[in-house]
């Protein structure tokens, strides 16, 4: 069953019903790669709003544009046309320097792979955004984060000495340490086994529930999606569904029908 | 960010080390040279000052000419002046000094010491006044009789002479003598130090006889009475001197001599320094290349840093920091090895002349230069790649962004073409002789071409790779095709790698062509222009032989013609004013007082000929005027030069001879084919007696023809018999003599080639480095090929051919630039009559090309091995 | 769990008690845990499982790209552990075809050259007729001179499939071949692979996490934690999804 939703409003109803500024949103976002024969319309006019302090998942089959959407939301890539807003800031209007500052201070990233700088230790990777900004980390907060992700014993290790799951946890710790407004996660459990994956997802959910962060996660895994509070479904560069309170079964069912488009 | 850069650098230690090697080599050379020249300079300075430290005043002629490679000739001082100087009250004692040339012949009949480039063989008179003695007697006693000689201890040692032995001495001016060795001398307090020169000391009358300048001194030295300062002594002496002589303080003289020696040392060290600079320059290319590749490889990591919030400046900074680390390390290592080389060279040189014991002089300057050069060159070369790194976008962390931006901008092509056109114009102007100094125009043209090449290199690299690689698919199948495409796919990188090699090859080509041209000239003139049967010469020495030998040969029955050749130098001063000290008018120089004279005109070489016989044994082309009229007071000139100067038969030209003063000579003859294109003025031998300095009063060569009734063999035998009296003189065929003259260049060439090969070696290191790094970069692709079934051997083959293509490109371009440049320079020189034209040493150039190809193969061995050893799974699993 | 019930005429590839352990001590991972499986000739098999289930490892080991810690792998009747490096290379050239998820082609060669690459490497003459058929099957006749950079993702994958088929290997391994493609193109590729099996008797083993892709196969083997946990014949996308749901808990 697909439902069409009007998502062109600037604000949205949060948990408690109060109107609040969206953490991130797009307006008529279009992204085209390549040119002429090899042109690919990755985003085909997307309007979507992501609420604050919510854990939202973006799903869709391969080639649906979900990763592209996230990249543009996070300012990693520019739109061909349309707008992207992070809070009250329109990303397209920022200078390179401002964009860099935004990344340092307001955003956190967890990628599917290659999250860490190979020559730095786990601890140095965690404090990386802060070091780049020449900000001193809040020791209490940092210790808390490290304890939460359970990496106390591994701080001096380099990425090559950590398992995949541990590396992802370091990445999450990094994303938490600088206390950003929005954390973008791109298939964070894609390379992990079930139990490590569950750990990472727990952490992300914790970030939302206990620390009030906003998490936007791209995934193709129904189980991972079930950790979120809302799933936005994409196919061929357009939004085709928006589900609140997802469970693995509901997601799978929905995916079945989306896959047949 | 600093920490990130540091850790990053440490993580990639090995890669960065090989990157820095070229700089290390360059810095080593530069440092070694600087340290060496400091050391030598100090040593020589102290030797010189020791020798002359007790001089209070030196009296000498003001007339002086400087020779092309440093050194000077001065007019002589009449002997009578000594008495006048001694009579001055402030002068305690004065002594005349003779300094002429005489060679010591070893027991085997060969000359001890150098006859050309190198420390000279000098003849002095023994001076009784202790303060004015230059050396110290270390053994035996001073010469007292006409048949006694004192030698420097080094030469005696080399020749195995002991007190009491008979020593054979040959003077270019006056012939061969035998003396009894009565003493040994040397510099320093104990007489055991030397500058490497061969010294022989005689009584005054003897040395006048041997050197052939009776009653003349090179200078007079004086020591003052107790209370007088050197300035006071000089002031007291000056009034008694004729206007063409001057007195200077001992201190000033010491300084002058130190500078003169220093010039010579400076020449050597500059020479070596140049190669250090070349190595560093090549190193710059390698650094640029290596950092480019390293950055391309770390695209993902840098994308990640950007995503996490690093600014562009921070990324740029981190690369610069890495470059600083490499540069600093290279500078320090270069410094250390430069010191090592200086030590080695010092002990090597110590066997030639005395150096103070202990370590070489390491000044803060040399240390600073080493580190600064290493640092600056590395950082500057890494700047462009650093900027590229800063442009990496965060998205690179996630996707495989092809950083390979092989698009070549229009701007590049336009700029490069403009440079080529400018260079071409400049060269044309220079070569068409429309400008006063063609060499400058040629120089500018050359510089334009070099830069144009650097700019256009990438543009031609791709097509060149394809063309050169055409036979590869047939030769090596898929491996061959891959090699060709890989060289072509990143033209900037291929060009940068090849560039390093190009520089070395271009330089070698230039030197080879120029040397061949000079040699060809010599050989050509001796084989084609000389019709003499034999040439008598002093066997490759810069000096000639006793003219008495020529006279005797001329008198032989079996000899038809014996025509001597001599050389001297003079400046053309027609219409040129001398530096006139204030207060004086346009009086002839020799009557002026005050500052020493300096004439601002180039030194010309003059050939002395016997007009009656010369043109019978040398084909000088078309003659205008009568050879018989070439008497004293006249001169002959090459037609081409006469036209240039606007001279006609009967015109008068003023010459300035140091010894003979300013003389007006009349042009009596022109000829069209000079024997040596650099020597176009001919003087009759009779003029030599009047005008030439003592060291030119010998015969450089004697051209001999057989008499009508004798066979050549007979003539040769007779001539040889006469020549036998001189250990140095020999009889040769004109062709052999030409070869001998040409061969004098070989020693110099050998050293140049050696040093250039070093530059080429450095370039090859660059190729190895580039290839290795690019293999890392292409790991995934290589993994794919292995997965799909490429064998290790096939992979190695592909890498090998890629290396060969790059090496060949570098060599070909180097050859084109080098040969082109050399052709331009030789043509420019020929316009200035230094050379008759270019000559291509084809064999040598072909050898260079082949070696380059082989070098390409050699450079690929290590990288190919690396490629083959890649673990297939790791490679394709690389995300 | 082992053998399929639909009897293939022979076994194209086989793993017998395959075990693969990475690392040691703390970070030791048991990627394959005493796994035995058979893949029949002329069959299109899919291997599925969550990340870390060992599906990629199984494929790498069966293809000769990686070695087992214990157990054996056979291609045709050949035990891979007995082969030298040279022989393994030859095997990859002649008997095994690969289609990866991405980066399948050599960037400096054009489509034609990429297709004939394994055979050119072997220096062997190839059947022009067959190569033409393959090219036409994947529909690349007008793109032969283009380099990968000039081809779309789907076209690149088609070239990869053509290459895998051109040398007529005993078995083709495909690792998430449609992972980077949009749905339409993905279907095209899967169609080609299906027809390779149906029309030309090719054997294909495909690793995937996409139920839609799995539905093209004849048989799906489900892995988890280095072991086979289930198997399905005649899969459909729904049944596969359901099974995944089931296994996920």
């Amino acid at each position: 069953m697909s439902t069409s939703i009007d998502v062109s409003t600037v604000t949205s109803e949060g948990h408690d019903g109060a109107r609040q500024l969206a953490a991130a949103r797009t307006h008529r976002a279009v992204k085209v790669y390549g040119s002429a024969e090899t042109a690919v319309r990755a985003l085909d006019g997307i309007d979507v709003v992501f609420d604050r302090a919510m854990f939202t998942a973006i799903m869709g089959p391969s080639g649906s544009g979900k990763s592209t959407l996230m990249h543009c939301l996070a300012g990693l890539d520019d739109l061909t046309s349309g707008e992207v807003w992070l809070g009250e800031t329109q990303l397209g209007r920022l200078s390179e320097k401002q964009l860099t500052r935004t990344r340092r201070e307001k955003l956190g990233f967890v990628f599917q792979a290659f999250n860490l700088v190979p020559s730095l230790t786990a601890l140095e990777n965690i404090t990386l955004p802060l070091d780049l900004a020449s900000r001193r980390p809040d020791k209490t907060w940092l210790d808390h984060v490290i304890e939460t992700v359970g990496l106390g014993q591994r701080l001096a290790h380099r990425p090559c000495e950590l398992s995949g799951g541990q590396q992802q946890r370091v990445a999450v710790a990094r994303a938490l340490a600088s206390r950003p407004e929005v954390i973008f996660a791109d298939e964070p459990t894609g390379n992990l086994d079930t139990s490590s994956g569950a750990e990472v997802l727990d952490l992300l959910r914790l970030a939302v529930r206990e620390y009030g962060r906003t998490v936007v996660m791209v995934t193709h895994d129904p189980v991972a999606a079930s950790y979120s509070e809302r799933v936005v479904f994409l196919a061929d560069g357009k939004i085709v569904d928006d589900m609140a309170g997802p469970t693995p079964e509901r997601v799978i069912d929905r995916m079945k029908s989306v896959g047949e488009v | 960010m600093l920490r990130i850069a540091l850790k990053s650098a440490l993580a990639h230690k090995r890669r960065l080390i090989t990157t820095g090697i070229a700089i290390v080599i360059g810095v080593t050379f530069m440092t070694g040279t600087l340290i060496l020249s400091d050391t030598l300079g100090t040593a020589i300075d102290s030797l010189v000052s020791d020798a002359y430290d007790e001089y209070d005043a030196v009296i000498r002629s003001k007339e002086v000419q400087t020779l092309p490679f440093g050194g000077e000739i001065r007019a002589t001082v009449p002997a009578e002046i000594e008495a006048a100087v001694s009579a001055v009250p402030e002068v305690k004692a004065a002594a005349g000094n003779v300094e002429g040339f005489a060679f010591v012949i070893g027991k085997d009949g060969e000359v001890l010491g150098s006859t050309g480039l190198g420390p000279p063989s000098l003849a002095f008179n023994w001076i009784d006044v202790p303060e004015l003695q230059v050396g110290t007697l270390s053994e035996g006693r001073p010469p007292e009789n006409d048949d006694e000689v004192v030698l420097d201890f080094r030469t005696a040692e080399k020749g195995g002479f002991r007190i009491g032995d008979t020593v054979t001495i040959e003077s270019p001016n006056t012939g061969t003598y035998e003396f009894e060795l009565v003493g040994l001398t040397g510099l320093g307090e104990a007489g055991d130090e030397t500058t490497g020169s061969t010294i022989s000391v005689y009584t005054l009358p003897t040395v006048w006889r041997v050197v052939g300048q009776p009653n003349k001194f090179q200078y007079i030295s004086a020591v003052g009475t107790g209370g007088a300062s050197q300035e006071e002594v000089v002031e007291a002496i000056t009034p008694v001197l004729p206007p063409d002589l001057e007195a200077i303080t001992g201190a000033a003289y010491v300084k002058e001599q130190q500078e003169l020696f220093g010039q010579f040392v400076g020449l050597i060290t500059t020479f070596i320094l140049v190669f250090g600079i070349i190595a560093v320059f090549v190193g710059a290319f390698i650094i640029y290349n290596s950092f480019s590749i390293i950055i391309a490889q770390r695209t993902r990591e840098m994308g990640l840093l950007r995503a996490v919030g690093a600014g562009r400046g921070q990324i740029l900074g981190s690369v610069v920091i890495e470059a600083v680390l490499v540069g600093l390390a290279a500078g320090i290592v270069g410094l250390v090895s430069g010191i090592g080389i200086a030590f080695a060279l010092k002990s090597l040189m110590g066997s030639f002349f005395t150096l103070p014991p202990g370590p070489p002089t390491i000044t803060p300057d040399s240390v600073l230069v080493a580190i600064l050069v290493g640092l600056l060159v590395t950082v500057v070369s890494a700047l462009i790649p650093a900027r590229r790194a800063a442009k990496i976008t965060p998205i690179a962390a996630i996707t495989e962004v092809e950083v390979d931006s092989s698009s070549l901008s229009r701007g590049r092509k336009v700029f490069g073409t403009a440079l080529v056109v400018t260079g071409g114009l400049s060269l044309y102007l220079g070569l068409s002789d429309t400008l006063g100094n063609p060499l400058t125009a040629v120089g500018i043209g050359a510089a334009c071409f070099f830069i144009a090449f650097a700019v256009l290199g990438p543009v031609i690299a791709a097509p060149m790779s394809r063309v050169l690689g055409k036979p590869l698919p047939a030769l090596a199948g898929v491996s061959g095709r891959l090699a060709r495409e890989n060289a072509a796919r990143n033209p900037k990188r291929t060009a940068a790698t090849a560039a390093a090699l190009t520089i070395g090859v271009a330089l070698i080509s230039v030197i080879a062509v120029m040397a061949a041209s000079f040699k060809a000239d010599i050989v050509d003139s001796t084989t084609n222009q000389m019709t003499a049967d034999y040439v008598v010469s002093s066997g490759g020495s810069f000096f000639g032989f006793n003219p008495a030998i020529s006279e005797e040969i001329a008198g032989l029955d079996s000899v038809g013609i014996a025509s001597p050749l001599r050389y001297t130098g003079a400046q053309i001063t027609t219409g040129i004013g001398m530096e006139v000290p204030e207060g004086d008018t346009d009086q002839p120089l020799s009557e002026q007082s005050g500052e020493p004279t300096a004439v601002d005109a180039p030194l010309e070489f003059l050939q002395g000929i016997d007009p009656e016989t010369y043109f019978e044994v040398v084909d000088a082309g078309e003659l205008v005027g009568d050879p018989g009229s070439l008497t004293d007071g006249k001169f002959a000139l090459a037609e081409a030069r006469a036209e240039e100067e606007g001279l006609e038969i009967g015109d008068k030209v003023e010459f300035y001879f140091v010894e003979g003063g300013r003389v007006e000579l009349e042009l009596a003859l022109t000829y069209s084919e000079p024997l040596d294109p650099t020597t176009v003025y001919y003087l009759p031998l009779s003029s030599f007696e009047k005008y030439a300095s003592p060291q030119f009063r010998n015969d450089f060569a004697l051209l001999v023809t057989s008499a009508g009734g004798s066979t050549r063999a007979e003539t040769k035998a007779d001539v040889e018999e006469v020549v036998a009296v001189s250990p140095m003189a020999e009889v040769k065929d004109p062709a052999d003599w030409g070869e001998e003259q040409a061969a004098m260049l070989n020693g110099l060439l050998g050293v140049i080639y050696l040093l250039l090969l070093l530059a080429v070696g450095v370039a090859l290191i660059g190729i190895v480095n580039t290839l290795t790094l690019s293999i890392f970069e292409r790991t995934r692709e290589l993994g794919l090929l292995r997965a799909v079934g490429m064998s290790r051997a096939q992979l190695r083959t592909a890498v090998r051919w890629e290396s060969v293509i790059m090496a060949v490109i570098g060599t070909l371009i180097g050859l084109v630039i080098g040969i082109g440049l050399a052709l331009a320079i030789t043509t420019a020189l020929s316009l200035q009559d230094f050379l008759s034209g270019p000559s291509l040493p084809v064999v040598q150039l072909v050898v260079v090309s082949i070696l380059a190809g082989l070098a390409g193969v050699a450079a690929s061995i290590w990288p190919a091995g690396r490629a083959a050893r890649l673990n297939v799974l790791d490679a394709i699993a690389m995300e | 769990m082992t053998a399929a019930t639909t009897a293939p005429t022979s076994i194209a590839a086989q793993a017998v008690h395959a075990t693969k352990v990475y690392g040691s001590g703390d970070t030791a991972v048991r990627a394959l845990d005493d796994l035995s499986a058979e893949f029949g000739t002329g069959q299109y098999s899919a291997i599925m499982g969550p990340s870390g289930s060992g599906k990629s490892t199984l494929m790498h080991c069966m293809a000769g790209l990686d070695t087992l810690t214990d157990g054996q792998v056979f291609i045709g009747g050949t035990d891979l552990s007995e082969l030298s490096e040279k022989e393994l290379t030859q095997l990859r050239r002649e008997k095994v075809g690969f289609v990866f998820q991405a980066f399948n082609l050599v960037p400096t060669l054009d489509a034609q050259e990429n297709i004939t690459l394994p055979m050119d490497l072997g220096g062997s003459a190839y059947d022009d007729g067959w190569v033409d058929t393959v090219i036409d099957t994947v529909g690349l006749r007008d793109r032969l001179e283009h380099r990968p950079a000039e081809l779309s993702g789907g076209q690149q994958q088609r070239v990869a499939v053509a290459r895998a088929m051109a040398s007529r290997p005993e078995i083709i391994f495909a690792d998430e071949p449609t992972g980077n493609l949009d749905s339409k193109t993905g279907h095209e590729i899967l169609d080609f692979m299906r027809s390779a099996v149906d029309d030309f008797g090719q054997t294909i083993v495909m690793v995937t996490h996409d139920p839609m892709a799995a539905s093209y196969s004849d048989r799906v083997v489900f892995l988890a934690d280095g072991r086979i946990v289930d198997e399905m014949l005649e899969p459909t996308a729904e049944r596969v999804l359901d099974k995944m749901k089931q296994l996920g808990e």
Side-chain angles (χ1 to χ4, degrees), chain B residues 370-423:
Chain B
I371 299 192
L372 272 182
V373 166
L375 205 55
L376 273 175
V377 172
T378 310
V379 170
V380 167
S381 316
L383 273 182
I384 295 185
R387 275 191 50 209
R388 224 180 281 148
K391 292 204 192 127
I392 293 176
T393 54
I395 204 93
I398 306 162
T399 54
E400 280 288 322
V401 175
E402 267 295 318
V403 181
D404 187 305
S405 57
S406 33
S407 61
L408 298 167
S409 65
R410 264 193 73 220
R412 175 187 289 272
K413 297 180 190 164
V414 168
F415 182 50
T417 316
L419 273 177
V420 170
V421 170
T422 313

Side-chain angles (χ1 to χ4, degrees), chain C residues 44-109:
Chain C
Y44 189 161
S45 314
I47 304 178
M48 298 191 74
S51 288
S53 58
K55 55 188 197 288
S56 292
T57 311
L58 177 59
M59 195 195 83
H60 290 157
C61 290
M62 294 197 75
L65 294 173
D66 201 356
T67 48
L68 294 172
T69 314
D70 204 359
Q72 292 164 305
V73 161
F74 296 86
I75 301 261
T78 322
D79 181 353
L80 293 194
S81 60
E82 285 173 7
L83 297 182
S84 69
E85 175 60 40
K86 272 205 159 99
E87 288 163 337
L88 264 180
T89 304
Q90 199 181 8
L91 182 97
R92 292 202 286 269
R93 253 194 338 248
E94 299 170 2
K95 301 215 192 290
V96 177
F98 285 103
V99 181
F100 298 110
Q101 179 174 3
F103 209 84
N104 261 300
L105 309 178
V106 178
T108 47
L109 304 177

